[in-house]
Amino acid sequence: MEEKVMQSVSRTRMATSRFHIYYTFCVSFFVLTCSCLGHPVHQRRHAAMFIFGDSLFDNGNNNYLNTTTKYQSNFWPYGESFFNYSTGRFSDGRLISDFIAEYAKLPLIPPFLQPGFKNYTYGVNFASSAAGVLAETHPGFVIDLKTQLSHFKKVEKHLRHKLGDDKAHTLLSEAVYLISIGGNDYFAPFIKNSSFYETQSPTQFVGMVIGNLTNVIKGIYIKGGRKFGFANGIPLGCVPMMRATKPGSTGTCVDEITAVLKLHNKVLAKVLVKLKGQLHGFKYSNPNVYSYLDEIIKNPSQYGFKEGKVACCGSGPYRGALSCGGKRGVTEYQLCDNVNDYVFFDSAHPTDRANEQVSKYWWNYTTPDMKVPHVNLKELFEV
């Protein structure tokens, strides 16, 4: 029965997938003169994009790690809506960073660990699923943020060697640096020990995470980075996995996680304002993606979805078990008939369609408070 459902879903999306694959092929391989569709198109220079983070942004780096399938998604049905094969993205299709690349008229940005890839002129993706700001978050299984920074430094050195100091400096200073990380630092200890936040001071713990994140931001700045985009995470306390942990499976959100993530976002916002005052030329975009997605989850029908609590793929209450694909210890799982009805694809990650809505919000959002020093991503790519 499971196989028939998967085959049926695959067939209904085959035509759309073929169109997207062809479109992606054309976009991904364009150079200054592109001959897709047989017509040369002269492209203006675009700002590169360097991506840091966790599973919200990882487009395949964990495929090349000696890690567990718990932190990988390079198997069916991941990728089935857009790519029609599993790429290593924790989604049925594209991630937020993929949509941003499209809006910025860039090719899909490849993962840093992809074998043989050395052309960094459009940027590269360092993100690692389940990674945290802290090295203590899933150590030995993921690429923590400090290590991602060390990979970026290798790329910076390569660019200077290939392009020369002046051209490399221009590329790095005009590039946009997308960062989405921190959720796993708060999520992991709670899953392992639900009493964690009763024994730890949330303020001190958030301060440690933000402090390490700030050091990485400054590390990128020292190497030339000036324009930053920060996605302040998703409401992890309300993802299907966390709803399933509530006694009696009542489906309510986990308040402890929600509180600490809101504190993280509040402290980060203050730190970014401070950095803008300290670092010459520092620009950033940091809309409240958290609240926007939280609104979609709570009122899915207002955004074109039918389901905001239950995952499309998984097992157990709310399909909250991370069993999608049947390769994480639990072989049996359910797959929804129409993924476009769902906000979440698996127990903790948004669908392609939800990622697209968040990306459009981040790209175009405006704020009525003109004193707020950050901008939307469209403006960030254009300045």
PDB file of all heavy atoms in Angstrom, residues 103-121:
ATOM      1  N   TYR A 103      15.610  34.127  -6.871  1.00  0.00           N
ATOM      2  CA  TYR A 103      15.206  35.531  -6.898  1.00  0.00           C
ATOM      3  C   TYR A 103      16.387  36.447  -7.199  1.00  0.00           C
ATOM      4  O   TYR A 103      16.219  37.504  -7.824  1.00  0.00           O
ATOM      5  CB  TYR A 103      14.592  35.935  -5.549  1.00  0.00           C
ATOM      6  CG  TYR A 103      13.416  35.103  -5.121  1.00  0.00           C
ATOM      7  CD1 TYR A 103      13.070  34.984  -3.771  1.00  0.00           C
ATOM      8  CD2 TYR A 103      12.629  34.411  -6.050  1.00  0.00           C
ATOM      9  CE1 TYR A 103      11.993  34.216  -3.359  1.00  0.00           C
ATOM     10  CE2 TYR A 103      11.557  33.628  -5.651  1.00  0.00           C
ATOM     11  CZ  TYR A 103      11.249  33.533  -4.310  1.00  0.00           C
ATOM     12  OH  TYR A 103      10.189  32.766  -3.902  1.00  0.00           O
ATOM     13  N   ALA A 104      17.579  36.058  -6.758  1.00  0.00           N
ATOM     14  CA  ALA A 104      18.783  36.860  -6.981  1.00  0.00           C
ATOM     15  C   ALA A 104      19.406  36.584  -8.346  1.00  0.00           C
ATOM     16  O   ALA A 104      20.485  37.093  -8.651  1.00  0.00           O
ATOM     17  CB  ALA A 104      19.805  36.586  -5.886  1.00  0.00           C
ATOM     18  N   LYS A 105      18.727  35.751  -9.161  1.00  0.00           N
ATOM     19  CA  LYS A 105      19.199  35.392 -10.506  1.00  0.00           C
ATOM     20  C   LYS A 105      20.557  34.690 -10.469  1.00  0.00           C
ATOM     21  O   LYS A 105      21.422  34.899 -11.317  1.00  0.00           O
ATOM     22  CB  LYS A 105      19.247  36.629 -11.414  1.00  0.00           C
ATOM     23  CG  LYS A 105      17.872  37.242 -11.664  1.00  0.00           C
ATOM     24  CD  LYS A 105      17.960  38.453 -12.580  1.00  0.00           C
ATOM     25  CE  LYS A 105      16.558  38.945 -12.963  1.00  0.00           C
ATOM     26  NZ  LYS A 105      15.743  39.349 -11.802  1.00  0.00           N
ATOM     27  N   LEU A 106      20.708  33.829  -9.468  1.00  0.00           N
ATOM     28  CA  LEU A 106      21.896  33.001  -9.327  1.00  0.00           C
ATOM     29  C   LEU A 106      21.545  31.556  -9.660  1.00  0.00           C
ATOM     30  O   LEU A 106      20.379  31.160  -9.568  1.00  0.00           O
ATOM     31  CB  LEU A 106      22.420  33.060  -7.891  1.00  0.00           C
ATOM     32  CG  LEU A 106      23.027  34.379  -7.419  1.00  0.00           C
ATOM     33  CD1 LEU A 106      23.218  34.362  -5.905  1.00  0.00           C
ATOM     34  CD2 LEU A 106      24.357  34.630  -8.119  1.00  0.00           C
ATOM     35  N   PRO A 107      22.540  30.752 -10.021  1.00  0.00           N
ATOM     36  CA  PRO A 107      22.282  29.315 -10.163  1.00  0.00           C
ATOM     37  C   PRO A 107      22.069  28.715  -8.776  1.00  0.00           C
ATOM     38  O   PRO A 107      22.344  29.357  -7.764  1.00  0.00           O
ATOM     39  CB  PRO A 107      23.572  28.792 -10.803  1.00  0.00           C
ATOM     40  CG  PRO A 107      24.623  29.747 -10.359  1.00  0.00           C
ATOM     41  CD  PRO A 107      23.947  31.092 -10.306  1.00  0.00           C
ATOM     42  N   LEU A 108      21.564  27.496  -8.714  1.00  0.00           N
ATOM     43  CA  LEU A 108      21.489  26.807  -7.434  1.00  0.00           C
ATOM     44  C   LEU A 108      22.898  26.700  -6.859  1.00  0.00           C
ATOM     45  O   LEU A 108      23.816  26.237  -7.535  1.00  0.00           O
ATOM     46  CB  LEU A 108      20.875  25.414  -7.606  1.00  0.00           C
ATOM     47  CG  LEU A 108      19.388  25.369  -7.961  1.00  0.00           C
ATOM     48  CD1 LEU A 108      18.944  23.933  -8.184  1.00  0.00           C
ATOM     49  CD2 LEU A 108      18.539  26.018  -6.870  1.00  0.00           C
ATOM     50  N   ILE A 109      23.068  27.131  -5.620  1.00  0.00           N
ATOM     51  CA  ILE A 109      24.396  27.158  -5.006  1.00  0.00           C
ATOM     52  C   ILE A 109      24.748  25.753  -4.529  1.00  0.00           C
ATOM     53  O   ILE A 109      24.005  25.156  -3.744  1.00  0.00           O
ATOM     54  CB  ILE A 109      24.423  28.148  -3.828  1.00  0.00           C
ATOM     55  CG1 ILE A 109      23.917  29.530  -4.275  1.00  0.00           C
ATOM     56  CG2 ILE A 109      25.827  28.235  -3.245  1.00  0.00           C
ATOM     57  CD1 ILE A 109      24.734  30.157  -5.385  1.00  0.00           C
ATOM     58  N   PRO A 110      25.871  25.192  -4.970  1.00  0.00           N
ATOM     59  CA  PRO A 110      26.227  23.807  -4.615  1.00  0.00           C
ATOM     60  C   PRO A 110      26.790  23.671  -3.202  1.00  0.00           C
ATOM     61  O   PRO A 110      27.276  24.652  -2.624  1.00  0.00           O
ATOM     62  CB  PRO A 110      27.295  23.452  -5.657  1.00  0.00           C
ATOM     63  CG  PRO A 110      27.925  24.756  -5.995  1.00  0.00           C
ATOM     64  CD  PRO A 110      26.832  25.789  -5.904  1.00  0.00           C
ATOM     65  N   PRO A 111      26.731  22.457  -2.643  1.00  0.00           N
ATOM     66  CA  PRO A 111      27.316  22.213  -1.319  1.00  0.00           C
ATOM     67  C   PRO A 111      28.834  22.229  -1.381  1.00  0.00           C
ATOM     68  O   PRO A 111      29.434  21.784  -2.365  1.00  0.00           O
ATOM     69  CB  PRO A 111      26.782  20.830  -0.944  1.00  0.00           C
ATOM     70  CG  PRO A 111      26.440  20.168  -2.242  1.00  0.00           C
ATOM     71  CD  PRO A 111      26.022  21.272  -3.165  1.00  0.00           C
ATOM     72  N   PHE A 112      29.461  22.713  -0.336  1.00  0.00           N
ATOM     73  CA  PHE A 112      30.916  22.827  -0.277  1.00  0.00           C
ATOM     74  C   PHE A 112      31.604  21.477  -0.440  1.00  0.00           C
ATOM     75  O   PHE A 112      32.666  21.383  -1.063  1.00  0.00           O
ATOM     76  CB  PHE A 112      31.322  23.467   1.052  1.00  0.00           C
ATOM     77  CG  PHE A 112      32.801  23.506   1.302  1.00  0.00           C
ATOM     78  CD1 PHE A 112      33.611  24.394   0.619  1.00  0.00           C
ATOM     79  CD2 PHE A 112      33.392  22.648   2.216  1.00  0.00           C
ATOM     80  CE1 PHE A 112      34.988  24.427   0.831  1.00  0.00           C
ATOM     81  CE2 PHE A 112      34.755  22.675   2.450  1.00  0.00           C
ATOM     82  CZ  PHE A 112      35.555  23.570   1.756  1.00  0.00           C
ATOM     83  N   LEU A 113      31.017  20.421   0.134  1.00  0.00           N
ATOM     84  CA  LEU A 113      31.659  19.109   0.114  1.00  0.00           C
ATOM     85  C   LEU A 113      31.409  18.322  -1.175  1.00  0.00           C
ATOM     86  O   LEU A 113      31.883  17.194  -1.298  1.00  0.00           O
ATOM     87  CB  LEU A 113      31.194  18.280   1.317  1.00  0.00           C
ATOM     88  CG  LEU A 113      31.609  18.801   2.691  1.00  0.00           C
ATOM     89  CD1 LEU A 113      31.136  17.848   3.788  1.00  0.00           C
ATOM     90  CD2 LEU A 113      33.119  19.016   2.785  1.00  0.00           C
ATOM     91  N   GLN A 114      30.691  18.907  -2.105  1.00  0.00           N
ATOM     92  CA  GLN A 114      30.455  18.213  -3.377  1.00  0.00           C
ATOM     93  C   GLN A 114      31.783  17.938  -4.064  1.00  0.00           C
ATOM     94  O   GLN A 114      32.560  18.853  -4.318  1.00  0.00           O
ATOM     95  CB  GLN A 114      29.569  19.074  -4.279  1.00  0.00           C
ATOM     96  CG  GLN A 114      29.287  18.461  -5.646  1.00  0.00           C
ATOM     97  CD  GLN A 114      28.339  19.328  -6.456  1.00  0.00           C
ATOM     98  OE1 GLN A 114      27.243  19.634  -6.010  1.00  0.00           O
ATOM     99  NE2 GLN A 114      28.771  19.746  -7.632  1.00  0.00           N
ATOM    100  N   PRO A 115      32.086  16.683  -4.367  1.00  0.00           N
ATOM    101  CA  PRO A 115      33.388  16.339  -4.959  1.00  0.00           C
ATOM    102  C   PRO A 115      33.654  17.071  -6.265  1.00  0.00           C
ATOM    103  O   PRO A 115      32.769  17.184  -7.125  1.00  0.00           O
ATOM    104  CB  PRO A 115      33.276  14.827  -5.197  1.00  0.00           C
ATOM    105  CG  PRO A 115      32.242  14.366  -4.221  1.00  0.00           C
ATOM    106  CD  PRO A 115      31.253  15.490  -4.121  1.00  0.00           C
ATOM    107  N   GLY A 116      34.845  17.604  -6.402  1.00  0.00           N
ATOM    108  CA  GLY A 116      35.276  18.222  -7.644  1.00  0.00           C
ATOM    109  C   GLY A 116      34.835  19.656  -7.836  1.00  0.00           C
ATOM    110  O   GLY A 116      35.221  20.293  -8.817  1.00  0.00           O
ATOM    111  N   PHE A 117      34.039  20.195  -6.927  1.00  0.00           N
ATOM    112  CA  PHE A 117      33.550  21.561  -7.113  1.00  0.00           C
ATOM    113  C   PHE A 117      34.565  22.565  -6.580  1.00  0.00           C
ATOM    114  O   PHE A 117      34.933  22.530  -5.418  1.00  0.00           O
ATOM    115  CB  PHE A 117      32.210  21.755  -6.412  1.00  0.00           C
ATOM    116  CG  PHE A 117      31.677  23.160  -6.540  1.00  0.00           C
ATOM    117  CD1 PHE A 117      31.125  23.594  -7.737  1.00  0.00           C
ATOM    118  CD2 PHE A 117      31.743  24.047  -5.484  1.00  0.00           C
ATOM    119  CE1 PHE A 117      30.657  24.889  -7.875  1.00  0.00           C
ATOM    120  CE2 PHE A 117      31.274  25.346  -5.603  1.00  0.00           C
ATOM    121  CZ  PHE A 117      30.724  25.760  -6.804  1.00  0.00           C
ATOM    122  N   LYS A 118      35.002  23.492  -7.459  1.00  0.00           N
ATOM    123  CA  LYS A 118      35.981  24.493  -7.051  1.00  0.00           C
ATOM    124  C   LYS A 118      35.664  25.886  -7.595  1.00  0.00           C
ATOM    125  O   LYS A 118      36.449  26.811  -7.408  1.00  0.00           O
ATOM    126  CB  LYS A 118      37.380  24.083  -7.542  1.00  0.00           C
ATOM    127  CG  LYS A 118      37.958  22.844  -6.866  1.00  0.00           C
ATOM    128  CD  LYS A 118      38.245  23.073  -5.397  1.00  0.00           C
ATOM    129  CE  LYS A 118      38.856  21.847  -4.730  1.00  0.00           C
ATOM    130  NZ  LYS A 118      39.098  22.054  -3.293  1.00  0.00           N
ATOM    131  N   ASN A 119      34.532  26.044  -8.278  1.00  0.00           N
ATOM    132  CA  ASN A 119      34.175  27.350  -8.833  1.00  0.00           C
ATOM    133  C   ASN A 119      33.265  28.081  -7.844  1.00  0.00           C
ATOM    134  O   ASN A 119      32.078  27.809  -7.764  1.00  0.00           O
ATOM    135  CB  ASN A 119      33.469  27.185 -10.183  1.00  0.00           C
ATOM    136  CG  ASN A 119      33.124  28.520 -10.806  1.00  0.00           C
ATOM    137  OD1 ASN A 119      33.531  29.571 -10.311  1.00  0.00           O
ATOM    138  ND2 ASN A 119      32.358  28.494 -11.883  1.00  0.00           N
ATOM    139  N   TYR A 120      33.849  29.018  -7.105  1.00  0.00           N
ATOM    140  CA  TYR A 120      33.115  29.677  -6.041  1.00  0.00           C
ATOM    141  C   TYR A 120      32.650  31.083  -6.417  1.00  0.00           C
ATOM    142  O   TYR A 120      32.266  31.858  -5.540  1.00  0.00           O
ATOM    143  CB  TYR A 120      33.999  29.772  -4.789  1.00  0.00           C
ATOM    144  CG  TYR A 120      34.528  28.443  -4.307  1.00  0.00           C
ATOM    145  CD1 TYR A 120      35.897  28.204  -4.229  1.00  0.00           C
ATOM    146  CD2 TYR A 120      33.663  27.420  -3.931  1.00  0.00           C
ATOM    147  CE1 TYR A 120      36.396  26.993  -3.771  1.00  0.00           C
ATOM    148  CE2 TYR A 120      34.141  26.200  -3.475  1.00  0.00           C
ATOM    149  CZ  TYR A 120      35.510  25.995  -3.406  1.00  0.00           C
ATOM    150  OH  TYR A 120      35.992  24.788  -2.965  1.00  0.00           O
ATOM    151  N   THR A 121      32.674  31.427  -7.693  1.00  0.00           N
ATOM    152  CA  THR A 121      32.358  32.799  -8.088  1.00  0.00           C
ATOM    153  C   THR A 121      30.892  33.162  -7.872  1.00  0.00           C
ATOM    154  O   THR A 121      30.553  34.339  -7.813  1.00  0.00           O
ATOM    155  CB  THR A 121      32.743  33.047  -9.556  1.00  0.00           C
ATOM    156  OG1 THR A 121      32.140  32.031 -10.383  1.00  0.00           O
ATOM    157  CG2 THR A 121      34.253  33.000  -9.738  1.00  0.00           C
TER     158      THR A 121
END
